[in-house]
Amino acid sequence: MKASIEWDGEQRFRARSESGHEILMDGDRGKTGPSPMETVLMAAGSCSSVDVVGILEKARQAVTGCRVELSAKRAEGPPSVFTEIHMHFIVTGEDVGEHHVERAVRLSADKYCSVSIMLGHSVKVSHSSEVRATGP
């Protein structure tokens, strides 16, 4: 895997992935794009969400939505690394089993999500979930 980062003026940096995708990041408190640390947090949530949805689909759960709300704490001084990350999954669908969602979140956390597992070597990562029925 490869990527490149190019300075785009001020504190903006354009990140390009080997697959041809681009993200604009902003080191000036996220004025014009997410900061690099926000991008790391979003990557952890995205990676876990891919796993959770995939596992639920394989379990034949009628998932219509998946949202993960992330909260993180950072160290006081430089380097201001993450010290804690919490991921709260909200899964919607018809008759989605809560035990299926809990299992999917656990499998992502323990086995599949390379981003959060990597972060978990130095950050306290926790998870929670809830199921919401879709309908009128």
Side-chain angles (χ1 to χ4, degrees), residues 82-95:
F82 289 128
T83 57
E84 295 178 32
I85 295 173
H86 181 73
M87 299 186 197
H88 180 70
F89 289 86
I90 302 165
V91 176
T92 55
E94 287 296 320
D95 297 319

Side-chain angles (χ1 to χ4, degrees), residues 12-69:
R12 290 183 313 271
F13 295 85
R14 192 165 303 280
R16 288 184 184 88
S17 67
E18 184 176 29
S19 61
H21 299 282
E22 208 172 84
I23 299 172
L24 180 67
M25 290 182 278
D26 191 336
D28 190 15
R29 301 184 190 272
K31 258 188 348 190
T32 61
S35 73
M37 289 299 282
E38 288 173 320
T39 304
V40 170
L41 187 62
M42 291 186 294
S46 298
C47 181
S48 291
S49 295
V50 167
D51 296 335
V52 168
V53 169
I55 292 165
L56 290 172
E57 286 178 339
K58 286 179 184 166
R60 293 185 168 84
Q61 297 297 292
V63 176
T64 58
C66 179
R67 175 183 176 89
V68 61
E69 296 175 348

